């Protein structure tokens, strides 16, 4: 593992490589995404403790997505159980470290929610984090909810930087949770310009896809049914983003294996 400083254009390449990865095996990626959503939905229904448990498991489950991307590049078969690779594939000590990392992630996420709750009262954090049966749309309606959502997005940026690479560093590089968080923060700050480009490209892709969908539905005269395509489009977008996480890891840490993505060139059309 070697921490690299990459040029700003790498942010665009990460997203492009994420699209390439998804296209290479879309069925496997979507199957993992559905399994993840179903599992998290079940956990979120557990009263009071469901939300915290889910946050603790997030880092470990993210390793599963990274493992799937690694196997796709190597043309290996990807099965749904790879989602648990972080907890099952590296021994009990790594699994314990990932749970500890999950505890840190839960604390950091709660802190971000607390900051956003200052703009919408304590009800926001209580309902969104600890009540799995709450109607989130009702809570977020209105100006206060919108301001709280924006505040949370801003407060979550440093959380994302701290944990962007931390799970895979713990699982694949045998690094303690605290050191993994430090290296993740260092990698993100050192390559901040590339991440800014990446974020801009993600927003442009999301806005462009939504605009194209709206125009097509309007031309066909079925604009009122556009909402029915929002969820499938969101899932597709989420799958591409998960794949781009892996591309950013390979780019920032210079990990080279057979079939690895080169962060400085366009992805191969394999």
């Amino acid at each position: 593992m070697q921490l690299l400083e990459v040029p700003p254009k790498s942010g665009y390449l990460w997203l492009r490589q994420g699209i390439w990865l998804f296209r290479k095996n879309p069925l496997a990626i979507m199957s993992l995404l559905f399994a993840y959503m179903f599992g998290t939905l079940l956990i979120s229904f557990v009263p009071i403790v469901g939300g915290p448990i889910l946050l603790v498991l997030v880092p470990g489950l993210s390793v599963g997505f990274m493992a799937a991307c690694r196997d796709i590049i190597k043309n290996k078969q990807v099965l749904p159980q790879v989602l648990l690779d972080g907890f099952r594939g590296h021994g009990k000590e790594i699994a314990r470290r990932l749970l500890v990392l999950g505890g840190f992630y839960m604390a950091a996420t709660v802190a971000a929610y607390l900051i956003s709750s200052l703009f919408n009262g304590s009800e926001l954090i209580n309902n969104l984090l600890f009540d799995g049966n709450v109607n989130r749309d009702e809570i977020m309606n209105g100006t206060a909810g919108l301001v709280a959502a924006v505040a949370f997005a801003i407060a979550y940026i440093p959380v994302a930087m701290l944990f962007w690479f931390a799970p895979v560093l713990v699982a694949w590089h045998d690094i303690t949770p605290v050191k993994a968080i430090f290296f993740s923060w260092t990698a993100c700050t050192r390559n901040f310009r590339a991440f800014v480009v990446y974020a801009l490209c993600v927003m442009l892709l999301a806005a462009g896809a939504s605009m194209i969908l709206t125009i097509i539905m309007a031309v066909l005269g079925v604009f009122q049914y556009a909402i029915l395509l929002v969820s499938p489009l969101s899932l597709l977008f989420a799958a591409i983003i998960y794949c781009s996480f892996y591309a950013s890891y390979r780019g920032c840490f210079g990990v080279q294996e057979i079939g690895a993505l080169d962060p400085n060139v366009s992805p191969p059309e394999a």
Side-chain angles (χ1 to χ4, degrees):
M1 183 185 70
Q2 180 183 5
L3 179 56
L4 303 177
E5 184 172 350
V6 299
K9 70 176 182 179
S10 295
Y12 158 74
L13 290 175
W14 295 339
L15 182 58
R16 182 177 175 181
Q17 291 168 352
I19 296 173
W20 173 81
L21 264 172
F22 176 76
R23 289 176 55 195
K24 192 170 176 64
N25 197 338
L27 181 59
I29 295 296
M30 294 304 295
S31 297
L32 284 182
L33 188 59
F34 281 120
Y36 174 80
M37 292 177 59
F38 180 74
T40 55
L41 182 63
L42 291 180
I43 296 174
S44 68
F45 282 147
V46 179
I48 301 177
V49 299
I53 290 176
L54 179 58
L55 290 176
V56 170
L57 294 177
V58 163
L61 294 176
S62 70
V63 175
F65 280 101
M66 301 286 272
C69 291
R70 177 191 59 190
D71 291 344
I72 288 173
I73 290 178
K74 295 182 178 181
N75 296 314
K76 292 184 177 180
Q77 184 180 18
V78 177
L79 300 176
Q81 53 262 38
V82 75
L83 192 61
L84 300 177
D85 179 78
F87 297 114
R88 299 174 54 185
H90 307 281
K92 293 183 179 179
E93 177 60 22
I94 296 299
R96 185 192 68 81
R97 289 182 180 181
L98 285 172
L99 291 176
V100 172
L101 184 67
F104 291 151
Y105 177 73
M106 180 187 69
T109 304
V110 169
Y113 269 118
L114 285 172
I115 292 174
S116 65
S117 71
L118 297 176
F119 298 87
N120 201 25
S122 59
E123 179 182 3
L124 181 68
I125 182 173
N126 291 332
N127 289 333
L128 287 181
L129 188 58
F130 297 109
D131 189 349
N133 299 315
V134 71
N135 188 329
R136 287 164 170 77
D137 292 333
E138 292 181 2
I139 296 175
M140 297 310 296
N141 282 337
T143 303
L146 179 61
V147 171
V150 173
F152 173 73
I154 295 174
Y156 188 77
I157 291 175
V159 178
M161 294 172 65
L162 288 169
F163 293 91
W164 191 276
F165 299 116
V168 72
L169 293 179
V170 169
W172 292 356
H173 298 280
D174 196 22
I175 296 176
T176 62
V178 173
K179 287 184 178 180
I181 291 173
F182 170 77
F183 287 137
S184 178
W185 176 267
T186 302
C188 290
T189 53
R190 181 174 294 183
N191 296 292
F192 185 74
R193 292 181 299 170
F195 277 99
V196 170
V197 172
Y198 171 78
L200 291 175
C201 290
V202 168
M203 289 187 289
L204 286 174
L205 178 62
S210 300
M211 184 179 299
I212 293 174
L213 174 64
T214 300
I215 293 175
I216 292 176
M217 299 298 282
V219 170
L220 295 177
V222 289
F223 180 76
Q224 63 273 25
Y225 300 109
I227 190 65
L228 298 177
L229 298 180
V230 171
S231 293
L233 184 63
S234 298
L235 290 175
L236 176 63
F237 190 70
I240 292 174
I241 296 303
Y242 274 117
C243 291
S244 68
F245 289 169
Y246 181 78
S248 68
Y249 157 71
R250 302 305 290 265
C252 287
F253 286 91
V255 180
Q256 297 297 326
E257 296 176 358
I258 296 175
L261 293 173
D262 187 335
N264 298 311
V265 299
S266 299
E269 295 294 336

